[in-house]
Amino acid sequence: MENISMTTSTDAVRRFLRDYPETTKNAEAEARIVAIDDEKWSEFASTRSVDVINKFLEDNPETSKREVANARIQEIYNDLDWVQEQDTVEDYERFVSRFPGHPQREWIRKRIRKLIIDLEVERIAAGDHGEMPPVKPVSIGGAIAHVVVKNLTESTLTIRYSGPDSKKLIIPNGETRSVQLSPGDYQVAASVTLANVRNYYARETVVGGRYSSQFYVEQGFGGFRIR
């Protein structure tokens, strides 16, 4: 290799070092590898993609820009617009831990709670589950759906609503809880803490009004049903 400084391929330089291990140009070749990797950073310096930066670091392990690249990742993590675009629990939690006094902290915490409930419902829907009968309307009318749930099981009952509102009811056995939901389409998932009892899942459309549900474990069938 006559002119290492003109080479634009790190593979070519590495091949040269492998083929000529006794070369006096070892230091020059290693410096050229770093320089080639560094030159590529200019393509990614302004990116808003953490994945792109991580791929750059993976593909260019000799770069001297690693600290700069990692600093850019932290800048991205601190950008609320980017965080909202990702819309993940992990990214919101990281942001609010870094900026506990941020003006939108309450909105962020509410968003985290909604995403957690939505993920719990998705997991139940994707797993083994029974189908819940539709919730029973008591009266129709108004702008809000008011749902009353009574737990007649022998354990704690958890009901999750995922939709326009995402809410969770945790109801001790023998007790009643209620929740207010905006009208719309919901995915509803229920579980109890008893062993060998399936989760239950349903899709519901609610309008303004009052609804009632009662849950109990029907012995002998290994599951619970609404009556």
Side-chain angles (χ1 to χ4, degrees):
M1 182 174 292
E2 295 182 358
N3 194 341
I4 291 176
S5 64
M6 298 299 292
T7 305
T8 59
S9 169
T10 55
D11 288 341
V13 180
R14 290 191 181 96
R15 188 164 53 250
F16 168 77
L17 290 171
R18 185 177 63 249
D19 293 344
Y20 302 97
E22 303 301 325
T23 180
T24 59
K25 295 185 176 182
N26 189 286
E28 181 184 350
E30 291 179 350
R32 184 56 188 156
I33 289 174
V34 173
I36 292 170
D37 284 355
D38 286 354
E39 288 166 6
K40 295 176 183 176
W41 171 244
S42 62
E43 302 174 24
F44 310 107
S46 61
T47 184
R48 295 180 73 250
S49 172
V50 171
D51 290 341
V52 166
I53 296 175
N54 283 328
K55 186 67 166 57
F56 163 79
L57 292 172
E58 178 183 343
D59 292 344
N60 303 278
E62 307 297 331
T63 182
S64 66
K65 302 294 186 180
R66 183 169 298 275
E67 185 174 340
V68 173
N70 284 323
R72 177 59 183 154
I73 289 175
Q74 300 311 310
E75 289 178 2
I76 294 170
Y77 285 157
N78 293 341
D79 180 351
L80 183 55
D81 288 339
W82 180 88
V83 171
Q84 289 176 292
E85 290 170 12
Q86 309 314 303
D87 201 32
T88 69
V89 172
E90 178 185 2
D91 292 311
Y92 282 123
E93 286 184 338
R94 182 193 302 110
F95 184 89
V96 80
S97 70
R98 293 183 176 190
F99 304 102
H102 194 277
Q104 295 194 54
R105 63 188 179 280
E106 289 305 317
W107 178 90
I108 293 170
R109 291 193 178 104
K110 288 179 182 178
R111 186 63 184 166
I112 290 171
R113 287 194 292 270
K114 175 175 173 54
L115 289 172
I116 289 173
I117 293 170
D118 291 346
L119 289 171
E120 290 177 358
V121 173
E122 287 178 13
R123 283 195 290 268
I124 289 175
D128 177 44
H129 63 265
E131 296 296 327
M132 289 192 297
V135 65
K136 296 178 181 179
V138 176
S139 62
I140 300 299
I144 294 294
H146 186 82
V147 183
V148 178
V149 182
K150 185 170 185 178
N151 178 12
L152 298 176
T153 75
E154 298 175 359
S155 69
T156 299
L157 168 69
T158 301
I159 308 290
R160 305 162 182 86
Y161 299 89
S162 174
D165 300 322
S166 291
K167 297 186 178 181
K168 180 192 292 188
L169 293 177
I170 300 176
I171 313 172
N173 64 300
E175 297 192 16
T176 300
R177 297 286 188 274
S178 64
V179 64
Q180 291 186 337
L181 302 172
S182 299
D185 296 327
Y186 285 85
Q187 297 181 77
V188 187
S191 60
V192 293
T193 54
L194 290 173
N196 301 318
V197 177
R198 300 171 75 192
N199 296 323
Y200 273 68
Y201 169 82
R203 290 181 177 271
E204 299 276 2
T205 299
V206 298
V207 297
R210 297 183 64 83
Y211 297 82
S212 176
S213 295
Q214 293 182 338
F215 286 73
Y216 70 97
V217 172
E218 188 171 39
Q219 300 296 331
F221 289 87
F224 58 81
R225 297 182 179 181
I226 301 174
R227 70 181 185 188

